[in-house]
Amino acid sequence: MPRMPRIDAHGHVFAKVTREFPREASGNTPPEREETVEKLMSYMAASDVDQAMLVQIGGTSVAQHAYLLHCLRSYPDRFLGIGLIPEAAYGAPEEHMDRLTDGTGIVGFRLGMVGGPPDPFDPVDVRTFTTYPIWRHAAKKDLVLWLYVRAADAHLIAWLVDAFPQVRVVINHLGICPGLGKGRTDQWGRPQIDIVPYNPAFHTTHRLSTYENVTMKLSGHYAFSKEPYPYPDLAGWQKNFLGTFGADRLMWATDFPWIYEEPGYDKLAKLVEENTPEIKPHEHEAIMGGTAKRFLRFPDLK
Amino acid sequence: MTMESGPTPAERKQWEEDGYLVFEGAIRGEMLARLQKAFDHWAAACKEDWLVGVARGELAATYYDIPNVLEKDEVFLDILDRPRYFEYVRAFTEDDMIFIGEQVRTAPLWPMGYTGWHPDVRPDHPLHIKVQVYVNDVERGGGEFAYVPGSHRPGAGPYPRVKNLEAMPGYRRFPGRAGTAVMFNTYGWHVAMENHTGIPRKSIILTYEKRTPGKIDPERYAHLSPSLNTPDRRRLFGMT
C-alpha cells in the first residue's frame, strides 16, 4: 500500500517581474526577487514532502496569475493553486473565477475580507455581504475558499459557512485574523502580526470547528509567536485543535518562502511532532497530508 | 445580611452534588431597574471602543464586555454582595472569599454559541464560584447558561468535545427572567447555549474565589476605596 503523501498546504512562489510573469512588487517581493517553484521543490525533497498548495501572491488580475499557472502546468501532479479575485470584481466574480479555474489546477480563491455589517448587533442578511457572490459561485462550481480575513470580519465568516455548507473552507494560519495596524515585517523579511494571548479567534474562527465543511491550517506560527521555534506558546492551540477540529480537519503548512531562512523548511516539517509529542501516528499522517489530499483533492502522484 | 439567609441543608446538598444553585428574583424591583439602566447606558457609551478593539484584533465580536464597570456606576458594586446569593458564596468559602472580577456581557446573535463546553479551572484550583445574573429575560434557546450537574466533582467525566452543544450528555439549561442568578462551581462543565430568539442575551458574571495569600494586589482596586464602604467589600477586594 503506498504511503500517504506529505502535503505542504500553503505557501507562495513568484518569479522576477518580467513581461511573461507580471506581478505587483512589495516590500518583501521586490521586482528582482524570485522564489521559484524549483527552489521550493528542492526544499520539499529534502524533507520528504510530496505536494504543496501554491497560493497566489503579487496581484489579483488574471495576467498576474501567470507564474502560478505556469507552475501548475509544469508540475500538474505536484501542486494545486489558490487564486485571488480583484475587489472590483466581488460583485460579479463569476467570469474571473471561471477563467482561473477552468482546468488550470487552481481549485479555489483566497479572501481577505467577508464584507458584512461591521457592528455585530446589526441585522444580518448574508445576501448583502460583499463576498456573497463569490461564495455563491464557489458553491455552484465546488471551489475552495481560503480565508485569512481582517479581524473586523472574523465573526462574519460563520454566517456564510452556515449559509453554504457545501463550500469547502480552509481557515488560514491558526485562525488568526490580523488586526488593523498589527502587521509588520521582521529582520528576515517575514510577515509579523502582533496578537493578544487571549485571542478573539478562540470565540470566532476556532468555533468554526462546529462545521464539517471547515478545516484549519496549522501554519504561520512564526508570524504570531512570541517565542522561537518550536513556538511553545502556540502548542496549546494545536492541542486544542486536535480536540475540536480533529486531525481529519487539520492541515500542516510552512508558508514558504518566508521561512526558508528562519526557522528553515526542514524544521517546520517537524513542527507538528515537536510541539505535540503525544500525537498519534494516524493523526500525524492526516495533518501532514491525509487531510489535504482528501479535502483539497490533491491528485495521485505519478 | 446574616448567615441565616445562607444555604439550607438541601441547598448545600445540591451545591455539593450538582455544583449549582438558582436564585430567581435575586435582583428585583428598583435595583433591577437601576442595573438595567446602567447596563444599557454604559453598553451604548463604550460600544465604539469595543468595535475599535474588534478591528484591531484585540477583542472578540461574538461577545461584548463593558470594561471597568465598577468605576462607572455604584449599582455594579451593589450587586457584588447581594444577600440572596452572596451569603451562599460566604458559606461555601467558609467566609473567606475574594472577588476576582466581573464580565458585564452582551452576546450578539451568531449562528452558534460563542464558546464550547468547558470548565474554567482545574479542581486543584482554590474553589472558584461564578454567579451569572440575567439582565434581560433569557428564554430557552436564547443563549441561556447550561451546566452538567455533578461535573465539578473529583473524578467526574471525561466529557466529550461535542460540536453540537445539545449533544452533551446530562446537561441542564437555565432560562430565566431578568434578575435571576445562577451560581455554579466552575470546576464543572458549562456553556452559553445557542441563541435563536433574535434577542441578544445580557448578563453579568461575577467571579469569587476562596482566598489564597497574595492573590489580589491591594493596589488593583485602590481607586475604588471610597466606594468600598463595608468590611465585606473591603475584604472582597483584598484590602483587609
Side-chain angles (χ1 to χ4, degrees):
Chain A
M1 188 173 162
R3 73 170 175 87
M4 183 66 73
R6 284 159 58 92
I7 300 174
D8 186 342
H10 183 110
H12 313 278
V13 291
F14 49 92
K16 293 177 182 175
V17 176
T18 61
R19 189 168 296 178
E20 182 183 10
F21 298 127
R23 66 169 171 82
E24 294 170 1
S26 68
N28 57 0
T29 59
E32 290 304 310
R33 184 175 176 182
E34 63 177 1
E35 294 294 349
T36 65
V37 73
E38 287 77 18
K39 179 178 176 182
L40 167 65
M41 291 169 77
S42 69
Y43 281 110
M44 288 167 61
S47 293
D48 291 325
V49 174
D50 304 294
Q51 295 170 302
M53 180 64 83
L54 306 179
V55 180
Q56 167 65 9
I57 190 170
T60 58
S61 72
V62 171
Q64 289 166 328
H65 285 71
Y67 186 66
L68 172 61
L69 293 168
H70 163 79
C71 297
L72 298 174
R73 273 194 306 273
S74 303
Y75 307 101
D77 67 327
R78 304 293 300 279
F79 301 104
L80 292 176
I82 292 293
L84 296 174
I85 303 170
E87 278 195 35
Y90 278 14
E94 294 83 0
E95 184 187 348
H96 178 90
M97 294 171 75
D98 288 346
R99 281 183 68 189
L100 281 174
T101 55
D102 186 12
T104 62
I106 290 180
V107 296
F109 292 89
R110 193 181 202 194
L111 300 177
M113 65 178 294
V114 177
D119 184 341
F121 289 100
D122 281 350
V124 169
D125 177 350
V126 294
R127 293 168 300 181
T128 66
F129 285 20
T130 312
T131 58
Y132 179 81
I134 296 171
W135 286 75
R136 185 180 55 200
H137 199 60
K140 183 178 175 185
K141 294 297 182 81
D142 193 17
L143 300 174
V144 179
L145 291 181
W146 208 257
L147 303 184
Y148 187 47
V149 307
R150 61 192 182 193
D153 285 6
H155 64 292
L156 295 169
I157 300 169
W159 294 101
L160 285 162
V161 167
D162 199 66
F164 291 104
Q166 68 275 54
V167 173
R168 289 171 290 150
V169 175
V170 179
I171 304 297
N172 289 199
H173 302 331
L174 305 172
I176 291 293
C177 296
L180 201 60
K182 301 291 187 174
R184 59 190 170 83
T185 303
D186 72 6
Q187 59 186 304
W188 292 287
R190 306 178 306 178
Q192 293 286 292
I193 309 292
D194 289 329
I195 65 167
V196 292
Y198 191 82
N199 203 273
F202 302 162
H203 299 285
T204 53
T205 52
H206 293 194
R207 291 291 298 137
L208 295 169
S209 62
T210 300
Y211 293 94
E212 294 296 331
N213 57 322
V214 178
T215 56
M216 175 67 75
K217 200 136 44 62
L218 303 180
S219 57
H221 302 65
Y222 72 87
F224 313 125
S225 176
K226 304 284 192 287
E227 301 184 73
Y229 179 91
Y231 318 115
D233 53 337
L234 297 174
W237 292 34
Q238 197 158 295
K239 193 172 174 183
N240 281 338
F241 289 147
L242 268 175
T244 53
F245 282 86
D248 288 340
R249 290 200 286 137
L250 295 175
M251 296 188 276
W252 161 81
T254 62
D255 200 15
F256 56 83
W258 317 126
I259 49 68
Y260 287 156
E261 190 175 349
E262 174 61 36
Y265 195 95
D266 56 336
K267 279 190 173 178
L268 279 181
K270 300 185 180 86
L271 178 63
V272 173
E273 61 261 41
E274 280 285 341
N275 62 18
T276 319
E278 68 276 19
I279 194 167
K280 298 180 176 73
H282 72 276
E283 293 174 328
H284 186 256
E285 187 179 83
I287 292 171
M288 295 302 294
T291 302
K293 166 98 176 146
R294 184 195 79 251
F295 193 78
L296 302 173
R297 302 175 192 158
F298 268 83
D300 291 335
L301 286 163
K302 288 176 183 158
Chain B
M1 65 191 77
T2 64
M3 283 300 287
E4 284 73 23
S5 56
T8 65
E11 288 171 327
R12 187 177 284 276
K13 184 168 183 283
Q14 182 186 333
W15 175 255
E16 288 170 358
E17 291 184 357
D18 292 339
Y20 72 86
L21 289 167
V22 180
F23 306 95
E24 292 178 5
I27 298 174
R28 63 177 80 190
E30 184 269 339
M31 177 169 255
L32 179 60
R34 272 177 64 207
L35 182 64
Q36 291 170 324
K37 184 178 177 186
F39 188 110
D40 289 343
H41 170 79
W42 286 107
C46 299
K47 188 172 171 185
E48 194 57 39
D49 287 346
W50 169 60
L51 292 174
V52 169
V54 168
R56 289 175 58 82
E58 295 165 352
L59 299 171
T62 48
Y63 63 85
Y64 165 36
D65 287 346
I66 307 169
N68 305 319
V69 290
L70 301 182
E71 303 163 10
K72 291 182 165 64
D73 194 305
E74 288 219 351
V75 73
F76 296 113
L77 278 169
D78 291 342
I79 64 169
L80 299 187
D81 51 6
R82 290 290 289 171
R84 187 74 184 92
Y85 45 79
F86 185 68
E87 290 308 311
Y88 292 69
V89 176
R90 186 201 297 279
F92 297 143
T93 59
E94 298 164 310
D95 199 18
D96 191 20
M97 63 284 177
I98 50 174
F99 178 66
I100 297 295
E102 77 289 346
Q103 293 158 316
V104 180
R105 175 167 296 181
T106 312
L109 302 176
W110 206 44
M112 59 189 144
Y114 67 84
T115 187
W117 286 98
H118 64 283
D120 286 349
V121 296
R122 294 162 54 94
D124 55 1
H125 189 96
L127 178 61
H128 196 258
I129 297 172
K130 281 186 172 175
V131 177
Q132 182 158 3
V133 179
Y134 292 148
V135 177
N136 59 349
D137 293 346
V138 180
E139 297 175 22
R140 182 184 169 89
E144 74 273 30
F145 174 76
Y147 193 83
V148 181
S151 59
H152 67 298
R153 293 201 300 257
Y159 293 94
R161 294 254 204 173
V162 295
K163 294 186 171 66
N164 175 359
L165 298 180
E166 296 185 354
M168 175 61 89
Y171 77 97
R172 186 176 166 195
R173 48 207 309 167
F174 299 90
R177 302 292 302 272
T180 297
V182 185
M183 171 185 291
F184 61 101
N185 181 328
T186 75
Y187 301 164
W189 286 66
H190 58 278
V191 80
M193 299 301 288
E194 292 181 6
N195 187 345
H196 302 293
T197 63
I199 302 168
R201 187 206 70 189
K202 301 176 193 174
S203 73
I204 298 174
I205 303 164
L206 308 170
T207 305
Y208 308 86
E209 190 174 292
K210 174 82 173 172
R211 179 189 303 263
T212 45
K215 178 79 179 193
I216 290 190
D217 175 1
E219 293 304 307
R220 179 178 165 196
Y221 291 111
H223 60 291
L224 295 175
S225 188
S227 301
L228 304 179
N229 47 14
T230 68
D232 272 344
R233 288 189 184 175
R234 298 186 73 79
R235 266 200 320 151
L236 265 181
F237 287 88
M239 292 181 178
T240 58

